[in-house]
Structures are given as C-alpha cells and as structure tokens.
Amino acid sequence: MSAPNCLRCLTRPSTAVLRHSIAVPNAVASWTASAPFSTTATAAAGPTKGARPTSQPKRMETGHIRSGRRVTISKSKHRKQAGARGKTPLPGERKAYRKKIQLSNSNALHVHWLSDLDAKHMLDAANVTKVMGLPDALVDQLRAVEAFKPKQTWGFFRKPSTLIRPETVDLVTRMQQAATDKQTLKLVLDGDKLTGKSILMLQAMSHAFFNEWIVIHIPEAQELTTAVTEYAPIPGTDPVQYMQQNYALKLIQNIRKANEKVLVRMATAYSHPEIPQQMPIGSSLMQLANSAKEPENAWTIFMALWKELTANTRGRVPILFALDGLSHIMKVSDYRSPAFELIHSHDLALVRLFTDCLGGNISLPYGGAILAATTRNNVQRSLSMELAIAQREAEQLGAEKPLRQAYIRGYDHRVEAAMRAAQVIKVKGINKLEARSLMEYWAASGVLRTTVDELSVSEKWMLSGNGVLGEMERASLLTMRI
Amino acid sequence: MASAANSLRLCLRSCSQLPTMRAARPAILASSLCLRRALSTTPLRGAAAEETTFDEDEFLETKRYNNQGEVLADMLKREDLDDADRARVKDMLETWNKVPQDVRDQIDATTRQVRQSTAQIRYQVKPKKASFWNDDEKDTDMITDEVGEDDFEEDDILSIGHAKLEEHREAREYARIAVWEMPLLTKFARPFEPPTEAQPLRFRYTSYMGEFHPAERKVVVEFSPKDFPGLTEPQQLKLMKLAGPRYNPDKGLVKMSCERFEHQAQNKRYLGDLVQKMIATAQVSIPLGPCLCLDPTDMFEDVPLDTRHHKLTSKPRFPKEWRMSEERRAELESIRRTAFELDQKKQKSGRLVDGVKIIEKHLQNVPVMEDQPVMARRVGKQPARKR
C-alpha cells in the first residue's frame, strides 16, 4: 500500500477512500478492473454500479460486514463521493511545506569521522576538501538569520555539514584580514546556477558567528523589491525614500535572535529621541532591538540599531552585512510611487543602506564585510550589474576592462556606482578531489549507494558539468535511481 | 459574238503597249489588269473573252515580219518619214532585192521556225479552276523535280543515326578546339599580380557575356580603411563612421555599390569619386576636395562606432587541445592508471568508501525490534449485533 500522504501533491486520501481501498480485495471484479497499486484510480472510479457483482452488493457500500450499517439521511441519489479529491491543504500549508527547512534526518547514518567546524578551520588551507559538521549553536544562529535555504539538501543527512573549498578559505581569509585592519570588505559572489554561492555565504556567516561579529542577512533580496512587503515613504527625505517596516521588524528580530550574545554585551552610545521608548545611553543594544515589537516604528528602531552598531565607540565588533540575490536589487523595483512611477530599488531605504555599504559610501569603523551573492534563477538581467562584475573581474586579472555597449539602452549608473568598489569571487565547480571527499561523505551517510572510487567520482563530476555542486547533488542524491 | 469580239479588242488594246512582256509574264499581266481597274467589270469580261477560242498567232501575224525586206517596205509606206531616211531605206531595200531568192526563203523559213518553237512559252498559264489552291501547279522555280525524293531506298541509316553522328561530329569538333586551339590561348595569359599598396580599392564587375542584363552596370567597391597609408588612426575611425552600415567590423572592410548610371564606367567613376570624398572628409588637416560633412574638423569623437547592423557570430570549433594525440592518449592512460592504483591502495587499507556496504553493516548492527506483545483476548461470547 502507498503512503497515507502523497508526497507530491499533499493530498490525503480520506478515511472513506482508505476503507474503500481496503475493502477492494473482497470485490474481485473491481480488483481486476483497476490498477492494483493505485488508490487514486479506485477512488476516482467510484462504486462500479453497472458491473457490480450481485452476490456482494452491501459489502461494497458498507465495508466490512461487522462495521455495521450506516443510516443515510439524505435521499439524494447523487451522493457526493466524500473525499474523492482528498483533503485539500489548509491555507498556508502548501507554502509552509514549500518553505520547510529540514536540517536533520534521523534515517541517515551517523558519520563517525565527521568533526565539527570551529573558528580556525576555515582559515586553514589544509582543511580544503574536508567535509565538516556545523556545531549546534552555530546551526541555531544560522537558522535565525535564515542562512539555510529550502532547496538545499540539508534534509538528507543526520547533521548539517559543509565542504571546505578553496573559495571558502579565500573568502574567510579576506574577511579576517578586513577585520584586523578595521577595513570593510566589499565582495560579490558570482557564478553559475547551483555552484554554491549561498553555501559560501553561509560559510562566511559561520565564520562571522565564530568570531562574534554582528551578522545582518537579507536571505532573499527579491522580497524587498518585488512589491510583496508593505512600503511607505520616509517623511522628510528628498528624493523620497521608502521604508519597509514589516521587513525591518522581521530583520531586527532575526538580528536579535542570531546575535543575542554580542548585542547583550554592547551598550548604546547615543540617546534615541526618535524612538518611542526611553533608551538612556548605556542601555544594552539587546534592549534597543527588543523595543521593536510592532511594524510601526520598526524602521526607526532599525536605523537606531544600525547607528549604534556602526558607532565608533569601544566595545563594537565587526559587522557582516550579507544579501542573497543581488540582481533583484540592481534594477527598478516593482513598487510604485504616489505618482504611479516605478521606484528604483536604490530608493528603498534598506536596499540603499546595503548599496551604500557595498559602494563604499558607508564605512564600518570596526571593519567587517559587505557580502552579496548573485542569483541566476528567477531574475531579470541587470546589464549594469553584469558589466560591473565583468569589469571588476578584469581589473582583478589585470585584463582589459569591458566597456558599455554604445547603442544598448538599460545601463544604470546607480548600479555601476554601487558596484564600483566591490571585489568579485567567481564561484565555479569543485575539482575531483573535493568531489570525491563530498561523495565519500554522502556514501558514509548512507544516501549514496555506490562505491566511491575514481570511476564513480569522474562520472558524477562529469555529469554535473565539471563539478557544479548542485548538479552533483541532482545526479547523485535527488535522482530516483538507486 | 460581236460583243465578245469587241471586248477582246478593248483588252488587247490595253495591253498592246507591252507586246514583248506578254509572253514572258502572262500571269503578272493578268493580275496587273485586275489591280489597275479594281472596280471595273472589264477584267471579268476580259477573262470571259480569254475563254473564247482565239488564235493569237493569226491575229499577230499581220504585224509580224518574216524578213528585212518586208520591214523596209512597210517603213516606206509611213508618211512621217523624212527624205534622208526615206532615201536610206530605199537604198537598203534595193540591196535586199539583190539578195538571191533562195537565201530569202531560207531566212523566212528560219524566222518562222524560231517563232513556232518559242510560241509555247509565250502562252499564258491558266490556273485550273477545280484545283485546290493550285495544287497541281508546276513549281518552275524548283531545281529538282521532286519526284520520288522522299522514298527510302534501303541504302541509308535512319535519321536518329544521323543525329547521333552529328553529335559525335560536334563533340569531335570541340575536342579538336580543345586540343589544337585552346593551348594557343596561353599566349594571352598574364601572371597574377597582387594589388600593390597603391591600389587599395577592389572593384567587382558583373559580365553577362555580351548579353544585355540590368545588373551589368552594377559596380561594387571594397576597401579597408586601414589600407590608406595617409590616414591616422582617428581618421580611419572617422572613415568607418562615415561608412555607417557599409562597414563590416568583422572583416574591417567597407563595401559600397553603385548602379545608378547607365554604364559600368560611369558607376565606377562615381564610386571612385565617392571614396575620394570620404577620405578627404576623414582627413581633417588636408581637405583634398569637396567634403561630405559641414564641419570638416569634426572627428565624430562623441559618436561611438555603430556596429548594430552586423551580428558577430562565433562558430564553435572543436578545440585543438582536445584532439586526441599519442601524448594525450598516454597522459590519459597514466591518469587512469594512477586512479586505479589509488583505488587499489585505498581498498587494501580499507579506506575505500562503499555506500552499499556501509548501509548493510549498519543494518546488521541495528538492534532487532522486539516482537509485538500479544494482547490478551477478551474472554466470553460477543453480544449479538442487532440487525
């Protein structure tokens, strides 16, 4: 018998259907007529009226003979097939299923040689190609900033773990360097689909959490610009900027949850008359963050929090401000101004804060990193962003800088200004050594039923377009062929 | 019959002016009569008169002479003759009278004989009325007699055979030309001379081998702005911008054509002048001739080169590095051998990870679930169901 819940469509066959399908073996005629392993066809077919065997008419309707008879009150001949479609999911249930993040799987095997990541691991190039587990405290923090994404394959394994790549070591070293120099690292992670840009961001965040930085993470930039959250003009701004209070509230809560340990330690350096609560100088930042309870003042409190975090006083720590889905904020947003004109993304205050940081207009006194990852799925092309990335890459390689195409419209000087100071890391596929290490981890977790030798590694590596991580997962984990 | 005779007389009178022509072209005479008086009934009556039995010889005999003596005697009877002529005619008549009688008779006989023998061709050929389009008429212009010409005499091949032979002859003729005459063309051969640096323009003409064609006048010119040694780099760029969509950035060539004028030479001249003008415009410092733009010093620096008209298509080629060579084969072999050895080594040391074995091993170690506890049965008889 199939599982009670259909994994694909979330429909649950009702009890009536279940009973019906159990009763089916008694009715030999209907057995032969329908597919034996499917409940759907039987349910859809309904009671076979014409070809009903006359010997067992009542059993068909009532189920087992001992279950008794039901009294039917309605005299309508066209009785509805109760539960023919199964139970439809409740409002929000589908989305919850879609957005579900499962970080552990008790059916997966425990990998005994897996060691936990700590602050120094990712700085050491000797750890490249190693798969390492994320400690529980870190997982909580990462979860709080929404660093895990629903489509990632955390749910296959007993414990969230990650592969250390050369790019990881590179990125983390740069971050560390920036923090020691009290500089701001401005960096864009670019690469093809499924190459692991978000995972690299997660690793950077892990590093920040290990070193007790403040981490602010915007997990989906499209939530800011596709007109799905409320927005309102900020009074007294010219040109008009727009705040997104609901999103700001959510962001404050995430920051508070993830950075609790650090926020508690820090004290306010300014009095904040603009926020409704009394916040005397010297109260903890946690208190400030806690004062955001409703969307009404969320933006003001967020700005107050940001002012405190970037204050040049003692006891402040580096900040990691990360954003995933850079292309979504490098275009004109879907919001409209009161004059019904489209609002540029950079006129949204939160986005502007990020782009100012990325462009170098705001510097962090205690250093830190402004990190952005591009996304290759579900985006409009942003010509200027692509050009800027290509230019930064060329600058890094010392090659000739590509220029704007003269006769193409749609370049955006604001975007180019925002990306003028950024460095670029191009994330590519992993090499075979890393692939082997990863596959050994998969096999040890009991989710890859093959011998991990050079042949199988080469095969999967090749199938995945020279080691594109997501494609490797598709080729080995997400396939139904075992 | 009186009216018939009268009409005959009239008809004869009309044609008496051409007594000698009658015998030669009788049919033409008849038709000319018809043409001359198209609306008259006379020809019809004339034609009707011809049908009557009429001895022409007898009629003309009165005017014909058998010898010189008769002519001279007749002349003497004419009154308009002057005295000197009359005396000369008399002399000649006397001379004639001295001719012996037998000679005279002989001359008479000869004259009569000639007349009689030529009388037949003087007769008019009458078309047969019953014939269909004068079908039976003899064609006097034909050289051959047409009789039995198309009959097959069993001494020749069929016309298909003749055609085949003709084909062979033709082929042989061309073969002879190819062998004997074509080699003589090498005398006119000239060695290829690549265009020099002084000839940067490449013209293309179209010939339809002497036939008239509207496209024959068209002339195409191609040149690369880089081939003009006098132009600096910004000037070359300006030239490209002047050429607009005629510039091919892929090849770096400007291509222009002209078929505006009637003759090829005119078109070529126009193109040559145009190129000259373009170069003059591109050169700011030395404006050679008439300029194409208002301000010759404008170098169009603010206008980027427009290449939207041209699509750059890169055709992917199989990379050279990917070609299989002996070295590459050996390299691959060594990579595979190393991989194999690595796997062997790992297997020996027990470090080779096998997913299936790991799962099996795990399943062996899983504590076996206890049997389900047996539930105690209910003792006693079940109460009967109400039906």
Side-chain angles (χ1 to χ4, degrees):
Chain A
M1 210 185 97
S2 62
N5 286 10
C6 175
L7 288 173
R8 292 202 187 279
C9 60
L10 268 178
T11 52
R12 291 175 198 148
S14 72
T15 45
V17 173
L18 279 178
R19 206 188 304 132
H20 186 74
S21 63
I22 293 163
V24 159
N26 296 334
V28 184
S30 71
W31 252 118
T32 47
S34 64
F37 295 110
S38 162
T39 56
T40 331
T42 334
T48 46
K49 278 179 186 169
R52 185 197 292 170
T54 46
S55 59
Q56 303 167 324
K58 281 180 181 173
R59 275 189 197 178
M60 283 293 294
E61 282 177 1
T62 56
H64 197 264
I65 191 155
R66 284 192 203 149
S67 63
R69 266 173 100 187
R70 242 183 315 179
V71 180
T72 50
I73 298 166
S74 165
K75 292 194 173 177
S76 165
K77 284 184 179 177
H78 303 285
R79 246 189 303 161
K80 255 193 176 177
Q81 274 291 309
R85 288 182 57 221
K87 192 181 163 235
T88 48
L90 295 168
E93 205 177 346
R94 282 197 183 100
K95 184 172 182 182
Y97 187 79
R98 202 170 65 235
K99 298 283 177 190
K100 188 181 75 175
I101 294 166
Q102 185 191 341
L103 293 182
S104 172
N105 178 10
S106 56
N107 287 325
L109 305 185
H110 175 69
V111 183
H112 59 88
W113 46 261
L114 191 73
S115 59
D116 270 359
L117 205 61
D118 71 11
K120 285 173 186 166
H121 274 139
M122 284 189 285
L123 286 166
D124 190 1
N127 286 325
V128 170
T129 73
K130 276 189 188 165
V131 177
M132 290 187 143
L134 306 176
D136 291 342
L138 177 69
V139 169
D140 288 344
Q141 283 177 309
L142 290 174
R143 191 156 211 173
V145 291
E146 298 180 40
F148 300 106
K149 299 285 174 69
K151 288 288 178 69
Q152 292 164 350
T153 51
W154 307 105
F156 281 90
F157 307 98
R158 179 157 289 235
K159 184 179 164 62
S161 47
T162 176
L163 172 77
I164 314 259
R165 302 171 62 176
E167 287 92 340
T168 315
V169 176
D170 180 22
L171 173 62
V172 166
T173 315
R174 286 194 211 187
M175 281 170 68
Q176 192 61 30
Q177 190 62 41
T180 48
D181 298 348
K182 293 195 175 176
Q183 296 291 315
T184 314
L185 172 75
K186 294 164 285 262
L187 196 135
V188 173
L189 296 170
D190 185 39
D192 287 335
K193 282 179 194 174
L194 300 170
T195 41
K197 302 179 285 289
S198 298
I199 296 288
L200 214 53
M201 289 264 276
L202 181 137
Q203 288 170 338
M205 276 184 265
S206 307
H207 176 77
F209 281 128
F210 279 136
N211 291 285
E212 301 202 328
W213 293 20
I214 290 283
V215 177
I216 304 170
H217 183 222
I218 298 171
E220 285 292 342
Q222 62 170 334
E223 286 174 9
L224 287 174
T225 57
T226 48
V228 290
T229 56
E230 287 87 338
Y231 72 115
I234 302 173
T237 47
D238 185 40
V240 186
Q241 289 184 35
Y242 297 85
M243 55 188 172
Q244 287 151 309
Q245 304 251 44
N246 287 40
Y247 196 89
L249 179 66
K250 194 193 109 186
L251 195 60
I252 293 170
Q253 284 168 350
N254 284 359
I255 293 166
R256 200 190 60 196
K257 226 186 288 173
N259 305 291
E260 200 172 358
K261 227 173 7 172
V262 191
L263 286 177
V264 166
R265 261 194 343 234
M266 291 194 286
T268 52
Y270 305 101
S271 63
H272 294 284
E274 71 275 14
I275 61 171
Q277 288 89 344
Q278 284 284 327
M279 203 61 62
I281 294 174
S283 45
S284 83
L285 287 190
M286 192 63 190
Q287 226 173 325
L288 181 64
N290 274 335
S291 66
K293 296 261 195 290
E294 282 164 354
E296 268 77 68
N297 295 304
W299 177 249
T300 331
I301 293 168
F302 179 77
M303 282 319 285
L305 189 62
W306 175 257
K307 195 178 167 189
E308 288 293 345
L309 289 173
T310 54
N312 196 359
T313 52
R314 282 187 65 190
R316 294 289 182 261
V317 291
I319 297 171
L320 172 65
F321 194 179
L323 177 136
D324 206 342
L326 184 68
S327 340
H328 288 290
I329 63 162
M330 293 301 176
K331 64 179 181 84
V332 176
S333 75
D334 296 339
Y335 288 107
R336 300 270 182 179
S337 70
F340 207 66
E341 281 158 358
L342 286 169
I343 299 170
H344 195 283
S345 294
H346 293 191
D347 286 336
L348 302 168
L350 185 55
V351 174
R352 173 174 283 212
L353 183 68
F354 184 81
T355 50
D356 280 349
C357 290
L358 190 67
N361 295 347
I362 296 174
S363 59
L364 308 172
Y366 280 82
I370 312 298
L371 211 60
T374 60
T375 174
R376 290 292 172 193
N377 281 320
N378 180 34
V379 278
Q380 290 174 350
R381 275 187 77 194
S382 172
L383 284 176
S384 284
M385 191 196 77
E386 282 169 23
L387 177 72
I389 287 173
Q391 282 178 342
R392 298 298 93 77
E393 264 186 306
E395 279 167 12
Q396 286 167 23
L397 295 169
E400 198 184 342
K401 232 167 66 168
L403 296 172
R404 276 185 180 194
Q405 298 237 357
Y407 288 95
I408 290 184
R409 237 184 267 172
Y411 287 106
D412 191 347
H413 68 277
R414 295 175 82 171
V415 169
E416 278 167 36
M419 297 194 64
R420 198 158 286 153
Q423 300 172 25
V424 173
I425 288 184
K426 196 91 179 167
V427 187
K428 286 176 184 162
I430 53 177
N431 63 24
K432 279 195 190 169
L433 222 59
E434 293 163 52
R436 178 158 192 152
S437 162
L438 195 64
M439 282 174 70
E440 278 175 354
Y441 169 68
W442 290 345
S445 296
V447 286
L448 184 69
R449 284 168 180 260
T450 45
T451 315
V452 183
D453 52 6
E454 283 297 311
L455 192 72
S456 61
V457 171
S458 291
E459 181 201 324
K460 299 296 181 204
W461 187 80
M462 214 76 95
L463 275 177
S464 60
N466 292 6
V468 173
L469 261 176
E471 297 292 345
M472 273 193 72
E473 283 173 353
R474 265 188 201 169
S476 358
L477 303 182
L478 301 175
T479 173
M480 296 297 279
R481 286 167 57 196
I482 295 171
Chain B
M1 285 302 286
S3 64
N6 197 20
S7 67
L8 177 68
R9 187 182 55 82
L10 284 169
C11 189
L12 284 174
R13 185 199 276 174
S14 72
C15 58
S16 64
Q17 292 155 348
L18 295 163
T20 48
M21 289 293 284
R22 291 195 74 223
R25 294 202 294 182
I28 290 171
L29 181 69
S31 68
S32 73
L33 271 176
C34 298
L35 281 173
R36 231 180 285 156
R37 287 183 284 181
L39 295 175
S40 156
T41 54
T42 326
L44 285 175
R45 278 188 273 140
E50 275 177 5
E51 274 183 54
T52 56
T53 49
F54 161 66
D55 192 355
E56 198 188 8
D57 275 335
E58 198 182 345
F59 175 72
L60 291 173
E61 202 67 22
T62 52
K63 287 186 181 173
R64 279 181 187 152
Y65 310 102
N66 289 330
N67 51 43
Q68 291 94 322
E70 287 174 12
V71 175
L72 294 169
D74 209 28
M75 280 178 84
L76 280 178
K77 287 174 190 164
R78 288 169 65 171
E79 289 167 5
D80 56 339
L81 213 64
D82 57 356
D83 294 340
D85 285 338
R86 196 175 291 274
R88 211 176 297 144
V89 171
K90 270 182 185 170
D91 277 354
M92 285 167 80
L93 194 59
E94 278 168 21
T95 317
W96 169 253
N97 290 333
K98 285 168 191 167
V99 174
Q101 189 56 45
D102 59 330
V103 176
R104 283 189 212 173
D105 292 346
Q106 202 179 338
I107 288 171
D108 282 358
T110 312
T111 308
R112 248 181 231 111
Q113 201 181 336
V114 167
R115 190 175 292 141
Q116 272 178 4
S117 62
T118 58
Q120 205 151 31
I121 60 171
R122 286 200 306 275
Y123 291 155
Q124 193 177 353
V125 181
K126 293 170 197 161
K128 283 181 184 168
K129 256 200 154 179
S131 73
F132 179 72
W133 281 7
N134 301 334
D135 205 11
D136 299 330
E137 190 188 27
K138 267 193 177 176
D139 189 355
T140 47
D141 292 340
M142 285 284 280
I143 299 162
T144 57
D145 56 355
E146 264 186 355
V147 180
E149 258 194 343
D150 290 337
D151 295 343
F152 187 57
E153 300 283 345
E154 307 284 339
D155 57 352
D156 198 0
I157 55 171
L158 296 174
S159 56
I160 297 171
H162 277 290
K164 197 73 194 168
L165 278 178
E166 191 55 41
E167 209 174 275
H168 277 282
R169 267 179 225 121
E170 204 177 6
R172 283 166 169 235
E173 191 191 341
Y174 284 117
R176 270 195 300 279
I177 290 171
V179 171
W180 298 106
E181 289 175 32
M182 291 288 195
L184 300 179
L185 292 176
T186 52
K187 278 195 289 187
F188 304 106
R190 278 180 297 169
F192 172 68
E193 287 170 19
T196 61
E197 282 192 6
Q199 304 166 319
L201 302 184
R202 197 180 308 162
F203 286 97
R204 196 197 75 195
Y205 317 97
T206 322
S207 163
Y208 289 87
M209 296 295 168
E211 274 181 38
F212 172 78
H213 196 280
E216 201 177 18
R217 62 180 77 151
K218 182 176 178 174
V219 180
V220 183
V221 68
E222 268 187 327
F223 63 90
S224 169
K226 284 172 187 166
D227 286 350
F228 298 116
L231 293 184
T232 61
E233 218 153 277
Q235 288 172 349
Q236 286 172 7
L237 196 65
K238 189 182 175 185
L239 187 57
M240 291 170 196
K241 285 170 191 172
L242 283 174
R246 290 174 180 80
Y247 176 67
N248 181 346
D250 215 359
K251 295 176 182 169
L253 288 177
V254 175
K255 184 177 180 180
M256 299 189 297
S257 71
C258 179
E259 48 184 332
R260 186 187 293 178
F261 305 105
E262 198 186 342
H263 297 291
Q264 223 170 39
Q266 287 173 308
N267 287 318
K268 187 181 175 182
R269 169 49 52 210
Y270 174 78
L271 284 175
D273 290 347
L274 193 64
V275 172
Q276 197 73 34
K277 256 189 249 175
M278 284 169 75
I279 293 167
T281 314
Q283 284 174 322
V284 193
S285 53
I286 330 152
L288 288 172
C291 185
L292 285 174
C293 56
L294 291 172
D295 179 17
T297 54
D298 185 5
M299 289 302 284
F300 301 151
E301 274 143 349
D302 53 334
V303 183
L305 182 68
D306 188 2
T307 55
R308 279 172 297 171
H309 56 272
H310 186 79
K311 261 190 193 150
L312 281 170
T313 47
S314 61
K315 198 179 173 187
R317 303 245 173 217
F318 192 81
K320 249 184 202 173
E321 304 83 54
W322 291 9
R323 282 184 196 161
M324 193 52 78
S325 63
E326 280 307 311
E327 294 121 48
R328 179 69 186 145
R329 206 162 273 141
E331 195 187 341
L332 284 174
E333 194 61 40
S334 79
I335 288 169
R336 279 169 200 155
R337 201 183 305 117
T338 326
F340 179 73
E341 280 163 9
L342 196 76
D343 283 342
Q344 290 289 311
K345 215 187 281 176
K346 277 203 164 184
Q347 197 162 24
K348 268 179 199 168
S349 63
R351 283 185 296 130
L352 192 74
V353 182
D354 188 341
V356 181
K357 273 186 192 164
I358 284 169
I359 292 165
E360 277 170 5
K361 197 176 154 194
H362 174 75
L363 289 177
Q364 281 165 9
N365 294 342
V366 169
V368 182
M369 292 283 276
E370 296 275 326
D371 285 343
Q372 293 286 327
V374 181
M375 301 296 280
R377 274 190 182 172
R378 204 198 296 179
V379 188
K381 211 179 173 185
Q382 280 188 4
R385 261 173 214 280
K386 284 181 184 176
R387 290 257 163 183

